[in-house]
Amino acid sequence: MKKVNLVILAFLCLQLPFLAQAQENKEVLVEENESKVPMLKGNMRFHTKTYEDQSQNRNRTNVDFSYEHSSEAIYKDGQNLISRSYFTIDLGKGIWNGESTAPDVRVWGSWMVGLNAVRQMKVSNNFYVKGLAGVHFHNFKFADDNIQAIKGAESVEFLERAGGIKSKIAASYLTLALIPKISTGHNGFRIGAGPYAGYRLGGRGKFVYQDNGRNKDFDRSDMYLENLRYGIRGELGVSWLDFFFNYDLNHVFQSNRGPEVSAMSFGIIL
């Protein structure tokens, strides 16, 4: 028994120098920093830690990064509702409805894309107003590929063609919106609705058809599209996911220049 104890004691004595050296070589945290880079509706978070090894007189830095979604960027550090600016993208479907004389528009193939600069203004702990300024692109694709839209002498005309592959009317608008919103908290539920108005920047018709190869006809006129558009925009969000719905209260075409149809669009906010 004494012999075993002596062996253990001798082993511990041999380990003491190494333990002392390990203690001397222990790194010490000398600096810690955290920074954020705003990205759409969240932040890229960088966390750095610098360690110093006094025995070898050298430093070592670790860098960790992660994406922090901030629930429509309405909260700071996941807690306090604040006023701030950010950028979003509307990505969804765009259709019209109204008079039966208008060509049917495909839900699949018709789209709306919006590029928006957003300013949110805090009113109270659970209420804020969202201001939006952006450019919205609408694309109305006809269900019948053999219909071509052209600008006639008095109104837009829809001609029957042969060999159609794709036919559509496209328009872009400079858009402003003001949306009061209620929020239940970080990663909670958000809902709001408010008015929007837009001014047309461009419009055209496009007809793609097969005739000894693939051909395209463009009508780069204004297509008698209304210069001004206005309507109601609704937004609904939960956790990191947000949706929009736009409904125009005016018609797509000028009065007596085309069928009385109103546009609507719906989709996701990125």
Side-chain angles (χ1 to χ4, degrees):
M1 188 68 177
K2 290 182 179 179
K3 186 174 182 181
V4 173
N5 291 337
L6 289 173
V7 170
I8 294 174
L9 181 61
F11 176 78
L12 291 175
C13 290
L14 290 173
Q15 294 300 314
L16 284 176
F18 296 101
L19 292 173
Q21 184 178 3
Q23 184 66 27
E24 291 177 359
N25 293 341
K26 184 178 180 180
E27 295 179 328
V28 177
L29 179 64
V30 294
E31 187 176 5
E32 184 173 4
N33 294 306
E34 186 173 274
S35 60
K36 297 179 184 178
V37 177
M39 298 182 66
L40 292 181
K41 297 194 299 178
N43 300 296
M44 184 66 75
R45 182 189 293 268
F46 294 90
H47 194 180
T48 62
K49 290 183 178 181
T50 301
Y51 298 89
E52 184 179 85
D53 188 335
Q54 297 178 350
S55 63
Q56 300 186 26
N57 193 27
R58 66 183 183 185
N59 293 343
R60 177 174 62 87
T61 301
N62 285 349
V63 180
D64 295 321
F65 64 92
S66 60
Y67 179 73
E68 175 190 59
H69 194 280
S70 55
S71 298
E72 202 185 0
I74 63 174
Y75 287 88
K76 181 179 181 181
D77 299 327
Q79 296 178 354
N80 301 318
L81 184 64
I82 61 170
S83 297
R84 65 178 300 177
S85 301
Y86 53 99
F87 178 82
T88 64
I89 299 174
D90 293 345
L91 183 61
K93 313 304 294 182
I95 59 175
W96 69 34
N97 67 338
E99 285 187 345
S100 59
T101 56
D104 291 333
V105 173
R106 293 181 182 176
V107 176
W108 187 259
S110 299
W111 47 261
M112 195 286 281
V113 174
L115 307 178
N116 306 310
V118 177
R119 176 64 182 175
Q120 66 178 38
M121 295 152 282
K122 175 182 177 180
V123 178
S124 66
N125 288 336
N126 297 102
F127 180 66
Y128 66 101
V129 176
K130 178 178 177 181
L132 178 153
V135 179
H136 291 185
F137 302 89
H138 290 258
N139 185 80
F140 303 106
K141 186 176 181 181
F142 300 143
D144 186 347
D145 294 329
N146 289 317
I147 291 180
Q148 180 183 9
I150 64 170
K151 182 179 180 180
E154 299 294 333
S155 65
V156 62
E157 299 177 3
F158 301 100
L159 307 180
E160 289 283 349
R161 295 282 301 269
I165 298 173
K166 179 170 60 176
S167 185
K168 67 178 184 178
I169 288 179
S172 58
Y173 300 87
L174 176 63
T175 303
L176 303 176
L178 196 64
I179 309 160
K181 300 190 73 173
I182 296 174
S183 173
T184 62
H186 179 61
N187 284 332
F189 180 77
R190 301 173 298 281
I191 189 170
Y196 66 82
Y199 182 79
R200 187 176 58 82
L201 300 176
R204 68 174 186 173
K206 180 180 179 180
F207 181 69
V208 182
Y209 60 99
Q210 187 74 27
D211 184 12
N212 295 322
R214 188 183 178 96
N215 299 279
K216 299 178 183 179
D217 285 349
F218 292 96
D219 189 331
R220 303 183 187 278
S221 64
D222 61 11
M223 303 296 291
Y224 294 113
L225 294 166
E226 277 284 9
N227 290 325
L228 297 176
R229 62 185 287 258
Y230 54 90
I232 299 295
R233 177 182 174 96
E235 294 187 359
L236 176 67
V238 59
S239 186
W240 57 270
L241 195 58
D242 292 278
F243 300 94
F244 73 90
F245 176 79
N246 297 329
Y247 185 79
D248 285 7
L249 297 177
N250 66 306
H251 295 143
V252 174
F253 298 101
Q254 299 171 23
S255 179
N256 299 320
R257 297 286 192 173
E260 293 185 354
V261 291
S262 296
M264 66 176 67
S265 57
F266 53 91
I268 190 171
I269 302 174
L270 302 177

